[in-house]
Amino acid sequence: MLNFQANRRTMLRSMVGSSLLMPGIVSQLCAEEESSSFNPLAARPSHFPAKAKSVIFIYATGGVSHIDTFDPKPTSGGRDGSGKDRLMGNLFGAQPSPICGTLVSDLFPHVRDVMDEICLIRSMKASHFDHSEATLGMHTGSPTFARPSMGSWVSYGLGSFNQDLPGFIVIAPHLPYGGTQVYASDFLPAFHQGTRVIPGDNPIANLRPPGRSAKLQELEIDFAQQLNRQHLADRPTDSALAARMKSFETAFRMQAAAPEAFDIDSEPEHVRQLYGLDRKTKGPGKDFGWQCLVARRLVERGVRFIELIDTGSRPNWDSHGEMNEHKDLAYNVDQPTAGLIKDLRQRGMLDDTIVLWATEFGRTPTREGKNGRGHHRDCFSVWLAGGGFKGGHVHGATDEIGKYTVENPVEVHDLHATVLHQLGMDHERLTFRHAGRDFRLTDVHGNVVKELIA
């Protein structure tokens, strides 16, 4: 007689190979993690009353120059101490926000118009000065070791409101530095890892298995579930198997829920214009309007954590030789980002949705190459909107040339602790036992920055 466990795994691998199951779901079916219930992704109560329910994390790959964007510095009047006059201030001009007065570069005129909704941190310090390490630090809290991503921690801590869609979705045309680790669950149960979506006509590859009718597919799933139930009957304490059984149902329902969520054709023309969908764009980030609009649709449908990555590991904002590279990149993302904030506000969703914009580090105040800037970890800018954060507020300050933080420094662990706090989670209590110790997103660091909270 054939070995039952081998039969079960063969069936599972066959279904994966024939594209019945989507990326981000596969590992949750194959993994052997423990689960406490038949529905490990169900929404769970927070540690204390939350101000926000969902997160949209916008990540700009490559290291955006703070000096040329959200912390503009004058083009003269400072020196870097090197004895060489290679200092460069903001190259693109800047104006104060018409509502709150926050100074923002002309690279981001649309975002500047919604700065009254934005809490700007000008005193961030990066976890590393190399791309991959700093990217992982911003996503996982650890620049040197594999750790679960922030989205995975949020999914683990709070679950999801929608059982027909993954609780953690990453919309990325290309992978950033750090690759799939930026949305991996690592030692957390695998169903908390992110599911990658690629902008375009086929956001989730092989969503519809070729050559299979819906009826045949349903019969296949029923057969697999019968095998699972038989297996579970002999092992009533195998909670991991119960979780995997639940995931079959989720994968099947996704085939109906996901295409509807990603279909923006039903959106009215004024919404398309708000996100700049019909503009002529080029180069990296050209699909960012689609990404932002889909993010709003996913939040509406109960997805807990959505990450938007504008470009991949090359080309991107890593402007070592020519800062004018920032122009097209900023043009492609500026209007969609502002449109997302306006749309959330108009729909009454901004109050309980956190929009976090970040990059891995800033860039040097001195020229590198012909007209570029190098990596700079000592200070850079990130911002948050909605979710109970102070709109129109600027936290921290840098010196006159943008080289060092001189007021209220914020570490990456502090940022993570503060985001978790607004979601109703104590970062010191959100832990997972692994390899003999309790791990957390903030490791042994991090403080909630209360000055950011309204």
Side-chain angles (χ1 to χ4, degrees), residues 129-149:
F129 54 82
D130 283 336
H131 288 295
S132 294
E133 290 85 347
T135 296
L136 293 179
M138 183 59 72
H139 283 82
T140 74
S142 174
T144 52
F145 299 101
R147 292 289 184 266
S149 70

Side-chain angles (χ1 to χ4, degrees), residues 354-418:
I354 296 171
V355 180
L356 166 62
W357 181 92
T359 185
E360 56 254 51
F361 40 59
R363 309 205 72 82
T364 58
T366 50
R367 181 185 298 108
E368 182 176 287
K370 177 183 177 182
N371 195 43
R373 300 184 191 273
H375 300 178
H376 193 64
R377 63 170 294 187
D378 291 322
C379 58
F380 66 110
S381 298
V382 306
W383 55 256
L384 307 109
F389 287 99
K390 289 181 182 177
H393 176 71
V394 177
H395 181 83
T398 57
D399 60 24
E400 63 179 353
I401 63 173
K403 187 172 184 180
Y404 297 113
T405 293
V406 295
E407 182 181 312
N408 297 326
V410 178
E411 303 278 351
V412 172
H413 292 302
D414 301 327
L415 179 66
H416 289 165
T418 308

Side-chain angles (χ1 to χ4, degrees), residues 56 171 290-299 306 308 340:
I56 299 174
I171 308 179
W290 185 93
Q291 293 176 250
C292 287
L293 179 51
V294 168
R296 188 220 80 204
R297 292 173 62 85
L298 292 174
V299 169
I306 303 110
L308 311 178
L340 174 62

Side-chain angles (χ1 to χ4, degrees), residues 44-55 153-154 157-158 304 352 354 387-389 416-430 448 453:
R44 288 183 288 280
S46 55
H47 295 148
F48 47 82
K51 294 293 183 66
K53 297 188 299 185
S54 303
V55 177
W153 278 109
V154 171
L158 294 175
R304 180 74 74 174
D352 57 16
I354 296 171
F389 287 99
H416 289 165
T418 308
V419 169
L420 292 179
H421 180 272
Q422 294 304 94
L423 292 167
M425 289 187 287
D426 182 341
H427 72 104
E428 294 183 346
R429 293 169 58 192
L430 182 65
V448 175
I453 300 170

Side-chain angles (χ1 to χ4, degrees), residues 99-127:
I99 301 177
C100 63
T102 302
L103 190 66
V104 176
S105 163
D106 290 341
L107 285 179
F108 284 93
H110 290 89
V111 173
R112 182 167 59 206
D113 287 343
V114 295
M115 288 303 294
D116 59 306
E117 298 285 2
I118 287 175
C119 181
L120 174 61
I121 304 173
R122 284 178 169 162
S123 53
M124 280 297 304
K125 183 175 181 179
S127 56

